[in-house]
C-alpha cells in the first residue's frame, strides 16, 4: 500500500502541484513570520545588550507613591549621591546620566526620527566611554552639541554645521562639534540622539544639579553582584534602588521580546487565515482525486485491502505532499523573512545589524504545519472513499450524498449560523471590553455555519445569475448547470474566497466608520481653530501658550495642563484650563448643571462622575503635589470623548500648586479662522519649531486618516496571501473539473460546441463561483463591520456606520477578476482536448 501511494503521488504530480503551492504559501508565511520576528528581536536584543556594556550597576530613584492624600514624587539623584557611588568600594567610576526628548531638524527644518525616538542626553567629560567619537570633539557650553552618526548621515550634517534643536519649546541652533557611534536602541529604530555637556543638559532638561540615573562601572576583579551589594550598603535604601547591568539587559531583552510577540502574533493570524483557506483547497483536491480513482480503490478493496489501508494510502499521499510543501515553504519563508527585513530598511525603518535567525523551532513548525494541515484535510476524503462498497465502485455507481446526510449538514449549518448570529447580536449590547470575546466566538460560529450551509446557498444564489448567463447562450446555460452540479465542490471553492473578502470588507467598514466618527468628534467637540502639541506627545513648555497669546490674530487660547492630585485617597489627574475661555474653545454636550470653570467650580466628564458617584452640585477635596488641599464643586457633568475628558479646573487656582507646570496641548482660536496663512503665522511665532505640531481640526482628521490608510494597506497586503491561495483553489477546482468532464466536453465538441464555446463555458463557471464567494464574503464583512461598530459605539458616542460602497464594488470586481484569471489555463486546456480521445476517456 505504501508503494501504491507513492506511485499515485508520482502519477498525479501535475494535479497535486496546486495543492503543494497552496500549502507552501501558508507555510512560507508562517516560517517567514518566525524568521523575520526572531531576526529583528535578536538584532535589537544584541544591540541593547551592547548598550549596557559600560553599566555594571545602575542607580535609580526609588519612586514609591505616597499614601493618604499626598501626591508621591520621585526622590532626586543629587551630586552627593553620585560622589558617594564613585567612592563605594569596588567601584571604578560613576557617570551621571541626564536624558529627555530632543528634536533635531534636518536641513529643510523637518523633524528627524519618529518623534518618540528623538532623544537627548549628556556627554560625560571629554571622553565618554558610552559614545565613542568618530569625528570632532566633545561638546562644551550651551552652543555646542554632538550627534549620532546615523542622524548625521541621514541629514547630511558634518562637524562645524549649525543644527536646529528643540527640547520643549525654544529652538536652539548649536554647532555640531562631534559625531559619535552608539548602540542605543532608539537610534537603531530610526530615531536620533543629541548630546550636550552635562551642565547644559541638566539646565535644558530642567534637572539642574540632579541626574536621571547613575551608571557605576566595577573595578577589575569585582563582580556586578558584589558591586550592587556594596552600593546597597553605601546608599540610602529609601532614596535609590540598584540594578545590575545584566538585569537591565535581561529586562530590556524581555521587553523587546514582548513587543515583538504582538507583531509575531498578528502576522501569524494572517498566516493562519491563509492556511485555513488552503485547507479547503486541499480537501477539495483530495476529494476530486479520490473520486477519480474510485475504481482503482475499489479494485484494491476487492483484492484484499481493508478500509484502513485505503484510508492510510490516501494519508501517505498527503504526508508526501505535505512534506514537500513544508520543505519548499520553509525555504520560501527564509526568503520572505530576509525580504521583510530589507523592506523595513527601504521604508526608512533602521534595524540593527545581525544574522538571519533560522531556529530549530521554526524548521519544526514549518514542517509540522505543512504535514499536519495536509493530512488533516485529506483524512475525510480518504475515509469517505474507503466506505464505498467495492461492487458499487467497480460499477461506477458513485455514492451520492443521501437525503439524510444533506438534512444533517443543513441542520448543523443552521444551528451554527443561528448561534453565531445570536452571540454576535448579544455582544453588541455589551460594554466594549466585555463584548470582545463573545463577538469573536460568534464570528467564528457564524463563519463555520455559513461554510456548512454554502452548498445549500449556492443553488439559489447561482440561479439568480441565470438571466445574465442566458445572454451567453448555450455556454452560459452549461456554466450555470456545471456550477450547481456538485454544490459541495462549488461551496469549498467559493468559501476560500469568501473568508478573505469577509475580513477585508469588515476591516474596511470599520476603518471608514471610525474615520467618519473621529471627523465628527473633532467638529462637534472643538470650537478652537488649532490644536498645538509636541510631535512626540510629551509636554509643552508654558512659553508656548504665552507666545501664541502674543501672536497677531489670536483671540483666545487655553492650555490643557495635566496635574496629579489625590481625591479620596486615590490618584486622579486634573486638567487645568483657561476657565474664562474653555467654553468658547469647546462645545461639549452638558448632561446636567451649568458649564462653568473657575473659583472652585469644576466640570467633570460623565464616566468619571459615574465612577465616583458625583452629580452637578457635588463637592470633593483635591490634594495637590505641594501638599495643599482645595475644596471643589462640580458645576456640570459633560459627555467626554477621546479628545477631551476628565476633571477640568481653572489654571489660576491649579498652577500655584505645581512645581514644574507644563501643558499637553494648547487650544487656539483666531480671528480669521483656519487657513494656511494663519497656520504659517502661528508656526513662525513658535520659531518654526520641528518638535511642535500646529494642527487644524482637518489636519487632526487627516493624520488619523493617514494612520488608518497605512493600517488598511498593510492588512490588504497580508490578506492578499489568502486571496492568492483562493485563486489557486479556483484554478485547481476548474482544472480537476475539466479532467473529470473530459468525456462530456468531447461529446459537446462532437455535437457542435466550438473551442470558443468551451472556453466561454469554463470561464463563466469560474466567474459564477468567484462572484458567489465574493457576495457571501462582502455580506458577512458588512455584518461583522456593523457589529464591531456597535461595540465601539459604547465607547465612542460619535460612532456612525459608513458603508464604503465604492470599495465594496471594487472588491466584487476583484472577485470577478479572480474568476476570469483563474479560468485562463483550465479553459485553454478544455478547448484543446481531442474530441475523439475525450469521448473514449473513462
Amino acid at each position: 500500500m505504501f508503494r501504491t501511494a507513492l506511485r499515485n503521488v508520482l502519477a498525479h504530480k501535475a494535479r497535486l502541484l496546486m495543492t503543494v503551492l497552496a500549502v507552501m504559501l501558508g507555510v512560507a508565511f508562517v516560517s517567514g513570520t518566525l524568521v523575520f520576528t526572531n531576526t529583528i528581536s535578536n538584532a535589537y536584543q544584541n544591540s541593547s545588550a551592547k548598550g549596557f556594556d559600560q553599566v555594571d550597576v545602575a542607580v535609580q530613584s526609588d519612586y514609591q507613591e505616597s499614601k493618604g492624600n499626598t501626591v508621591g514624587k520621585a526622590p532626586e539623584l543629587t551630586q552627593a549621591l553620585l560622589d558617594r557611588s564613585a567612592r563605594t568600594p569596588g567601584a571604578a567610576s560613576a557617570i551621571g546620566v541626564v536624558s529627555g526628548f530632543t528634536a533635531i531638524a534636518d536641513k529643510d527644518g523637518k523633524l528627524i526620527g519618529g518623534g518618540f525616538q528623538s532623544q537627548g542626553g549628556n556627554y560625560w567629560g571629554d571622553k565618554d566611554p558610552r559614545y565613542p567619537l568618530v569625528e570632532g570633539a566633545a561638546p562644551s557650553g550651551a552652543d555646542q552639541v554632538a550627534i549620532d552618526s546615523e542622524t548625521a548621515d541621514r541629514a547630511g550634517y558634518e562637524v562645524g554645521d549649525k543644527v536646529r534643536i528643540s527640547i520643549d519649546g525654544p529652538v536652539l541652533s548649536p554647532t555640531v562639534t562631534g559625531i559619535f557611534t552608539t548602540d542605543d536602541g532608539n537610534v537603531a529604530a530610526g530615531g536620533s540622539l543629541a548630546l550636550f555637556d552635562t551642565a547644559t543638559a541638566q539646565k535644558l532638561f530642567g534637572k539642574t544639579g540632579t541626574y536621571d540615573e547613575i551608571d557605576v562601572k566595577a573595578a577589575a576583579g569585582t563582580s556586578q553582584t558584589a558591586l550592587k551589594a556594596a552600593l546597597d550598603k553605601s546608599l540610602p535604601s529609601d532614596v535609590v534602588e540598584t540594578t545590575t547591568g545584566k538585569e537591565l539587559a535581561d529586562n530590556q531583552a524581555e521587553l523587546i521580546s514582548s513587543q515583538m510577540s504582538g507583531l509575531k502574533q498578528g502576522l501569524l493570524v494572517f498566516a493562519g487565515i491563509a492556511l485555513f483557506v488552503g485547507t479547503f483547497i486541499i480537501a477539495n483536491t483530495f476529494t476530486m482525486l479520490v473520486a477519480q480513482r474510485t475504481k482503482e480503490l475499489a479494485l484494491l478493496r476487492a483484492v484484499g485491502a481493508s478500509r484502513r489501508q485505503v484510508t492510510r494510502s490516501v494519508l501517505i499521499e498527503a504526508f508526501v505532499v505535505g512534506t514537500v510543501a513544508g520543505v519548499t515553504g520553509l525555504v520560501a519563508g527564509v526568503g520572505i523573512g530576509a525580504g521583510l527585513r530589507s523592506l523595513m530598511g527601504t521604508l526608512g525603518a533602521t534595524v540593527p545589524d545581525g544574522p538571519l535567525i533560522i531556529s530549530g523551532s521554526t524548521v519544526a513548525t514549518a514542517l509540522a504545519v505543512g504535514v499536519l494541515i495536509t493530512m488533516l484535510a485529506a483524512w475525510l476524503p480518504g475515509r469517505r472513499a474507503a466506505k464505498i462498497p467495492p461492487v458499487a465502485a467497480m460499477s461506477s455507481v458513485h455514492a451520492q450524498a443521501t437525503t439524510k446526510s444533506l438534512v444533517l449538514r443543513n441542520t448543523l449549518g443552521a444551528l451554527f449560523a443561528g448561534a453565531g448570529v445570536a452571540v454576535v447580536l448579544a455582544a453588541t449590547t455589551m460594554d466594549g471590553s466585555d463584548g470582545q470575546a463573545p463577538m469573536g466566538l460568534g464570528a467564528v460560529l457564524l463563519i463555520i455555519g455559513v461554510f456548512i450551509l454554502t452548498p445549500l446557498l449556492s443553488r439559489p444564489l447561482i440561479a439568480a445569475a441565470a438571466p445574465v448567463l442566458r445572454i451567453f447562450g448555450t455556454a452560459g446555460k452549461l456554466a450555470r448547470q456545471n456550477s450547481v452540479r456538485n454544490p459541495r465542490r462549488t461551496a469549498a471553492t467559493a468559501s476560500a474566497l469568501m473568508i478573505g473578502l469577509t475580513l477585508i470588507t469588515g476591516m474596511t467598514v470599520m476603518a471608514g466608520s471610525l474615520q467618519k466618527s473621529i471627523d465628527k468628534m473633532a467638529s462637534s467637540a472643538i470650537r478652537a481653530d488649532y490644536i498645538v502639541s509636541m510631535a512626540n506627545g510629551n509636554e509643552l513648555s508654558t512659553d508656548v501658550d504665552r507666545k501664541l497669546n502674543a501672536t497677531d490674530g489670536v483671540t483666545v487660547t487655553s492650555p490643557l495642563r495635566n496635574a496629579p492630585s489625590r481625591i479620596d485617597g486615590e490618584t486622579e489627574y486634573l486638567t487645568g484650563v483657561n476657565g474664562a475661555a474653555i467654553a468658547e474653545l469647546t462645545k461639549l454636550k452638558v448632561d446636567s448643571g451649568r458649564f462653568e470653570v473657575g473659583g472652585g467650580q469644576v466640570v467633570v466628564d460623565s464616566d468619571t462622575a459615574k465612577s465616583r458617584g458625583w452629580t452637578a452640585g457635588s463637592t470633593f477635596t483635591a490634594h495637590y503635589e505641594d501638599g495643599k488641599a482645595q475644596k471643589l464643586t462640580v458645576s456640570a457633568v459633560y459627555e467626554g470623548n477621546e479628545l477631551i475628558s476628565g476633571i477640568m479646573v481653572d489654571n489660576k487656582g491649579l498652577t500655584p500648586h505645581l512645581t514644574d507646570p507644563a501643558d499637553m496641548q494648547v487650544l487656539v482660536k483666531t480671528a480669521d479662522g483656519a487657513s494656511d496663512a494663519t497656520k504659517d503665522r502661528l508656526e513662525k511665532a513658535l520659531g518654526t519649531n520641528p518638535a511642535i505640531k500646529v494642527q487644524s481640526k482637518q489636519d487632526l482628521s487627516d493624520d488619523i486618516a493617514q494612520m488608518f490608510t497605512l493600517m488598511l494597506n498593510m492588512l490588504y497586503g497580508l490578506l492578499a496571501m489568502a486571496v492568492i491561495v483562493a485563486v489557486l483553489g479556483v484554478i485547481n477546482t476548474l482544472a480537476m473539473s475539466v479532467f473529470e468532464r473530459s468525456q462530456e466536453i468531447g461529446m459537446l465538441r462532437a455535437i457542435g460546441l466550438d473551442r470558443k464555446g468551451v472556453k466561454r463555458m469554463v470561464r463563466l463557471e469560474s466567474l459564477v463561483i468567484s462572484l458567489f464567494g465574493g457576495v457571501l464574503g462582502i455580506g458577512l464583512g458588512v455584518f461583522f463591520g456593523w457589529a464591531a461598530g456597535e461595540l465601539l459605539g459604547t465607547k465612542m458616542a460619535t460612532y456612525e456606520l459608513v458603508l464604503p460602497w465604492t470599495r465594496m464594488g471594487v472588491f466584487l470586481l476583484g472577485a470577478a477578476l479572480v474568476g476570469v484569471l483563474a479560468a485562463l489555463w483550465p479553459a485553454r486546456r478544455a478547448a484543446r482536448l481531442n474530441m475523439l480521445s475525450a469521448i473514449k476517456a473513462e
Side-chain angles (χ1 to χ4, degrees):
M1 292 302 294
F2 180 74
R3 289 197 298 270
T4 302
L6 289 180
R7 281 199 298 268
N8 281 325
V9 171
L10 296 174
H12 302 118
K13 53 183 176 290
R15 301 181 214 166
L16 290 170
L17 177 62
M18 295 298 178
T19 303
V20 171
L21 283 173
V23 183
M24 186 198 76
L25 282 172
V27 171
F29 206 160
V30 171
S31 55
T33 294
L34 294 174
V35 169
F36 170 67
T37 51
N38 288 341
T39 297
I40 298 300
S41 180
N42 181 73
Y44 277 118
Q45 286 175 13
N46 288 342
S47 175
S48 174
K50 287 180 185 176
F52 293 112
D53 283 349
Q54 299 300 321
V55 183
D56 285 318
V57 178
V59 180
Q60 299 164 321
S61 293
D62 185 14
Y63 174 77
Q64 293 181 346
E65 188 173 345
S66 302
K67 300 188 183 298
N69 289 317
T70 306
V71 179
K73 188 178 180 183
E76 294 179 335
L77 298 180
T78 61
Q79 183 65 38
L81 285 173
L82 174 65
D83 294 339
R84 191 187 299 185
S85 299
R87 292 194 302 268
T88 299
S93 62
I95 293 175
V97 178
V98 184
S99 61
F101 171 71
T102 303
I104 304 179
D106 60 20
K107 292 186 176 180
D108 295 325
K110 295 181 180 178
L111 177 67
I112 296 173
F116 288 98
Q117 289 81 33
S118 302
Q119 295 293 315
N122 65 312
Y123 192 93
W124 191 257
D126 296 327
K127 190 175 182 181
D128 193 326
R130 299 170 301 168
Y131 308 112
L133 286 167
V134 292
E135 193 177 342
S140 177
D143 61 343
Q144 295 187 3
V145 68
I147 61 175
D148 68 273
S149 56
E150 296 284 346
T151 299
D153 290 342
R154 286 201 299 268
Y157 284 125
E158 297 178 353
V159 171
D161 288 346
K162 292 280 188 181
V163 57
R164 290 171 58 81
I165 289 178
S166 174
I167 306 299
D168 64 353
V171 178
L172 310 173
S173 298
T175 301
V176 177
T177 61
I179 295 173
F180 58 87
T181 59
T182 177
D183 293 310
D184 188 285
N186 288 319
V187 174
S192 60
L193 181 60
L195 300 178
F196 307 90
D197 67 71
T198 300
T200 301
Q202 288 176 322
K203 182 179 178 182
L204 289 174
F205 298 125
K207 297 162 186 171
T208 303
T210 64
Y211 303 95
D212 293 307
E213 182 176 300
I214 298 172
D215 292 343
V216 186
K217 188 74 177 170
T222 303
S223 67
Q224 290 187 353
T225 52
L227 178 59
K228 181 181 184 301
L231 287 166
D232 286 339
K233 290 180 182 178
S234 174
L235 304 176
S237 60
D238 60 335
V239 175
V240 303
E241 61 178 356
T242 58
T243 312
T244 65
K246 184 180 184 307
E247 288 174 336
L248 288 172
D250 290 344
N251 292 339
Q252 187 75 5
E254 187 177 340
L255 176 64
I256 291 169
S257 181
S258 65
Q259 290 172 340
M260 293 303 295
S261 70
L263 174 63
K264 183 185 294 185
Q265 288 170 8
L267 290 172
L268 286 176
V269 165
F270 291 98
I273 293 167
L275 284 169
F276 185 54
V277 171
T279 303
F280 295 147
I281 299 167
I282 302 162
N284 217 12
T285 302
F286 274 93
T287 299
M288 288 185 281
L289 284 173
V290 169
Q292 290 169 11
R293 288 163 42 211
T294 303
K295 281 189 178 182
E296 176 190 325
L297 295 174
L299 184 59
L300 289 172
R301 290 287 313 281
V303 297
S306 65
R307 286 185 178 182
R308 282 187 179 181
Q309 286 179 312
V310 170
T311 304
R312 199 179 302 139
S313 72
V314 175
L315 290 178
I316 289 170
E317 291 181 47
F319 175 79
V320 174
V321 171
T323 303
V324 172
V327 171
T328 53
L330 175 62
V331 174
V334 172
I336 288 173
L340 285 173
R341 177 173 173 169
S342 298
L343 181 63
M344 287 186 71
T346 305
L347 295 175
T350 307
V351 180
D353 292 332
L356 202 63
I357 304 299
I358 307 168
S359 65
S361 60
T362 299
V363 175
T365 301
L367 294 175
V369 166
V371 172
L372 290 177
I373 289 291
T374 309
M375 292 184 70
L376 183 67
W379 175 76
L380 190 59
R383 185 169 174 272
R384 191 184 297 138
K387 284 185 174 182
I388 300 175
V391 174
M394 293 288 287
S395 305
S396 296
V397 180
H398 298 291
Q400 298 295 325
T402 62
T403 304
K404 181 180 177 181
S405 70
L406 290 174
V407 169
L408 179 63
R409 178 178 181 130
N410 293 338
T411 303
L412 189 63
L415 288 173
F416 268 98
V421 170
V423 173
V424 168
L425 292 177
T428 60
T429 64
M430 299 179 184
D431 184 66
S433 53
D434 296 336
Q436 289 177 3
M439 183 163 290
L441 174 63
V444 171
L445 290 174
L446 180 54
I447 287 177
I448 292 173
V450 171
F451 171 65
I452 296 173
L453 287 173
T454 307
L456 179 67
L457 297 172
S458 65
R459 290 186 179 276
L461 287 177
I462 291 176
V468 178
L469 291 174
R470 286 196 192 102
I471 299 172
F472 299 95
T474 303
K477 183 179 180 181
L478 289 170
R480 184 182 66 80
Q481 290 174 345
N482 289 334
S483 300
V484 296
R485 176 186 295 181
N486 192 331
R488 289 184 176 179
R489 183 189 302 168
T490 298
T493 306
S495 294
L497 197 58
M498 176 193 79
I499 292 170
L501 283 176
T502 295
L503 294 167
I504 289 172
T505 305
M507 290 171 181
T508 304
V509 169
M510 280 190 63
S513 300
L514 279 169
Q515 180 59 47
K516 177 72 173 178
S517 305
I518 289 164
D519 288 347
K520 189 176 177 181
M521 183 190 300
S523 60
S524 63
I526 298 175
R527 285 195 179 98
D529 296 315
Y530 290 98
I531 302 99
V532 179
S533 62
M534 288 289 281
N536 68 331
N538 277 4
E539 296 174 331
L540 284 163
S541 166
T542 52
D543 288 338
V544 171
D545 182 49
R546 286 193 286 271
K547 287 181 179 180
L548 289 169
N549 266 308
T551 304
D552 290 340
V554 173
T555 57
V556 66
T557 68
S558 175
L560 302 182
R561 187 166 296 166
N562 266 14
S565 71
R566 300 285 290 182
I567 299 173
D568 297 332
E570 296 178 0
T571 298
E572 184 77 61
Y573 277 84
L574 308 176
T575 302
V577 298
N578 180 348
I582 191 64
E584 185 181 346
L585 292 164
T586 60
K587 44 180 177 180
L588 300 166
K589 183 181 177 183
V590 177
D591 292 338
S592 60
R594 182 181 176 186
F595 198 95
E596 184 179 344
V597 181
Q601 299 285 317
V602 301
V603 294
V604 183
D605 71 283
S606 53
D607 287 343
T608 303
K610 183 179 178 181
S611 67
R612 291 193 171 273
W614 294 341
T615 59
S618 296
T619 60
F620 62 91
T621 302
H623 298 261
Y624 300 113
E625 66 176 84
D626 63 353
K628 295 182 180 179
Q630 182 181 12
K631 189 174 183 180
L632 302 172
T633 302
V634 178
S635 65
V637 176
Y638 68 92
E639 287 189 9
N641 53 55
E642 282 70 16
L643 297 177
I644 299 177
S645 62
I647 303 171
M648 292 191 202
V649 302
D650 193 353
N651 276 326
K652 289 180 180 177
L654 176 66
T655 304
H657 300 289
L658 303 181
T659 305
D660 187 20
D663 304 323
M664 294 305 295
Q665 293 176 327
V666 179
L667 303 180
V668 183
K669 187 81 173 171
T670 60
D672 301 328
S675 67
D676 290 340
T678 303
K679 182 177 180 179
D680 187 55
R681 189 162 61 246
L682 294 178
E683 288 178 341
K684 285 181 178 177
L686 297 173
T688 316
N689 195 319
I692 298 177
K693 292 193 296 186
V694 179
Q695 293 180 296
S696 66
K697 287 182 281 189
Q698 188 59 49
D699 292 335
L700 195 65
S701 295
D702 289 346
D703 264 8
I704 296 168
Q706 187 176 10
M707 180 181 68
F708 280 133
T709 301
L710 178 63
M711 178 188 71
L712 269 181
N713 288 339
M714 288 176 62
L715 293 176
Y716 288 161
L718 292 169
L719 286 170
M721 185 70 74
V723 175
I724 291 170
V725 174
V727 172
L728 289 174
V730 178
I731 295 172
N732 210 11
T733 299
L734 290 173
M736 302 290 276
S737 179
V738 166
F739 181 84
E740 273 187 353
R741 303 196 322 254
S742 296
Q743 190 176 46
E744 175 189 315
I745 292 170
M747 190 66 72
L748 289 171
R749 289 288 316 282
I751 61 175
L753 189 66
D754 60 9
R755 288 187 174 183
K756 285 186 179 180
V758 171
K759 283 184 180 180
R760 191 178 299 120
M761 175 186 72
V762 176
R763 287 171 184 163
L764 289 172
E765 181 182 347
S766 175
L767 185 63
V768 166
I769 292 172
S770 297
L771 286 175
F772 169 53
V775 168
L776 281 181
I778 291 171
L780 281 174
V782 169
F783 175 71
F784 289 139
W786 166 81
E790 290 295 301
L791 203 60
L792 280 171
T794 61
K795 296 290 186 183
M796 187 180 288
T798 57
Y799 186 85
E800 178 183 338
L801 180 67
V802 176
L803 294 180
W805 295 106
T806 304
R807 288 206 177 190
M808 287 193 294
V810 170
F811 295 157
L812 199 58
L813 286 174
L817 183 62
V818 164
V820 172
L821 293 175
L824 291 177
W825 177 64
R828 185 167 176 268
R829 183 183 177 192
R832 295 180 67 181
L833 283 174
N834 183 290
M835 69 177 75
L836 293 178
S837 300
I839 289 171
K840 291 190 295 181
E842 293 187 7

